[in-house]
Amino acid sequence: MQAVILVGGQGTRLRPLTSTVPKPVVQLVDRPFISFMLEWLHGHGVDDVIMSCGFLADSVRAVLGDGSELGLRLRFVEEREPRGTAGALKMAESMLDERFLMLNGDVLTDIDLSAQIAQHERTGARATLSLVPVEDPSAYGVVVLEQDRSVLDFVEKPSPGQVDSNLISAGAYVLQRDVLELVEPDRNVSIEREVWPRLVGDGLFGFPSDSYWLDIGTPERYLQGTFDIISGNVESAVRARLDGDRLAIDERAEVLGRVSAPALIEQGARVEEGAHVGGLVVLGEDVSIGAGSIVERAVILRGAQIGEGCELRDCIVAAGCRVGPRTRITDGAVLGEGVNVGADNVITSGARIFPGVQLPDGAIEF
Ligand code: GDD
Ligand code: MG
């Protein structure tokens, strides 16, 4: 089975994590985000993947190579300027099989694609969208479904009250190649705004699912995805690393302080005496947590060094950051790669510090 993954978005909502690294290869728990998708696809018989890239395509290729490690053939199609979700697919047309999967490249899910493909065959659909219920559908493509699973209405990012449904398109589609006849070449075309509405009543079906699903496109959801993975709420390869208490501490990590589950601590990481790490924490390779520091509901990526007596809660600290003693980073704050924060700072309320920024001692209280 073939799959096209759309990874051409700029990932602006996930900045500063995506300032230096494209969204598909942003580290999530213990691997590049897109690896979760590739493993899920492989588990449903996908062996041929086309990555439709734009922004920073070379670094996606550098991280993923030719896919052989994952047992896949991996190819890349690059756009010089964004073509939109349908325009990007159109660019890959000559490589496509008669029937294939298309995926938004930013969803963490374990939806049963095999069952979705089976339904697609049974109904003779031209396009089958996987659907999940969400509380607030306004940021998504909203679908009204008939009893027979044909789509009665599709509205992308509806205004409040515009559609009465909480079922949204989950960003995983089974498509027949002839759908591309609806897409003009060499133009920016949105599949959500220009193709799905035209297929209503003409072969557009939905596959409702109650599987785990999350669009990881913002720091809050990136943290949520991390927590769900290390809590074992989503089917992924990380589950095998967690013990019965949902702890994974690499034997080459050194823990002198205390760790509460769920937590995942990589090789070379060091938790000093009196420090408390967890629950819901990931410490990347070679991270160090100073004596007496508290780290809770947080992701600290590779090589970051946290001083003594710090408090880190509900935050993301990217690779290579240095945080001076007694600094507090809380409430959704995100430090980009290589940020250097001196002692006695308070960074909170969703503050985003961009890569390479240096903050002297006591510089901010946000
Ligand atoms: N190659 C390429 N070119 N990819 C693109 C382009 C483009 O011009 N524009 C967007 N993408 C990719 C993004 O990288 C992302 O993986 C995917 O297409 C969807 O784009 P988002 O920008 O993340 O869209 P969204 O999250 O607002 O909405 C989409 O996803 C929702 C589910 O998360 C829509 O498909 C909604 O209908 C859907 O409900
Ligand atoms: Mg998205």
Side-chain angles (χ1 to χ4, degrees), residues 26-257:
V26 164
Q27 180 88 357
L28 184 67
V29 183
D30 62 349
R31 60 200 75 201
F33 165 68
I34 201 77
S35 298
F36 287 94
M37 293 195 73
L38 294 171
E39 286 156 10
W40 164 59
L41 290 169
H42 191 241
H44 289 284
V46 170
D47 53 6
D48 181 16
V49 174
I50 299 166
M51 303 277 278
S52 168
C53 303
F55 186 63
L56 302 175
D58 287 342
S59 37
V60 179
R61 188 179 298 142
V63 173
L64 297 179
D66 65 0
S68 49
E69 269 177 43
L70 290 153
L72 299 163
R73 174 184 191 193
L74 200 54
R75 287 176 287 173
F76 296 82
V77 176
E78 270 176 63
E79 299 152 57
R80 242 177 269 136
E81 74 254 17
R83 278 294 164 79
T85 42
L89 186 64
K90 187 78 178 176
M91 282 185 67
E93 191 169 14
S94 64
M95 300 159 88
L96 296 175
D97 295 344
E98 209 46 48
R99 174 180 298 153
F100 59 92
L101 295 166
M102 171 169 158
L103 295 307
N104 288 357
D106 59 357
V107 293
L108 176 65
T109 180
D110 51 18
I111 286 175
D112 186 351
L113 292 171
S114 304
Q116 184 177 345
I117 295 166
Q119 178 189 306
H120 181 87
E121 284 175 12
R122 208 164 50 237
T123 56
R126 296 177 74 192
T128 304
L129 320 182
S130 58
L131 307 174
V132 289
V134 296
E135 245 164 62
D136 175 10
S138 60
Y140 303 102
V142 182
V143 169
V144 182
L145 206 59
E146 285 275 36
Q147 281 292 345
D148 68 354
R149 301 201 165 178
S150 59
V151 172
L152 197 59
D153 201 6
F154 182 96
V155 187
E156 182 66 15
K157 318 239 160 60
S159 37
Q162 198 185 341
V163 248
D164 185 23
S165 169
N166 70 339
L167 269 187
I168 62 141
S169 165
Y173 325 107
V174 189
L175 299 181
Q176 295 301 121
R177 191 165 178 265
D178 69 12
V179 163
L180 281 168
E181 288 164 15
L182 300 174
V183 183
E184 246 185 79
D186 307 320
R187 208 165 66 78
N188 185 307
V189 183
S190 156
I191 208 159
E192 295 87 351
R193 295 181 193 276
E194 301 185 49
V195 177
W196 304 150
R198 287 173 63 189
L199 284 176
V200 169
D202 192 16
L204 187 63
F205 283 77
F207 173 76
S209 166
D210 53 12
S211 295
Y212 180 89
W213 182 88
L214 188 74
D215 173 329
I216 63 128
T218 65
E220 299 70 36
R221 296 204 229 112
Y222 171 93
L223 279 176
Q224 189 59 52
T226 302
F227 302 160
D228 287 328
I229 290 166
I230 62 174
S231 301
N233 297 343
V234 51
E235 176 67 54
S236 86
V238 177
R239 263 196 196 160
R241 294 191 59 190
L242 301 167
D243 67 15
D245 294 326
R246 295 176 302 171
L247 268 181
I249 303 180
D250 191 283
E251 56 191 20
R252 290 153 293 179
E254 190 159 2
V255 177
L256 305 172

Side-chain angles (χ1 to χ4, degrees), residues 303-317:
Q305 295 179 17
I306 312 300
E308 298 183 359
C310 290
E311 184 186 328
L312 274 60
R313 297 184 206 268
D314 303 289
C315 65
I316 305 167
V317 176

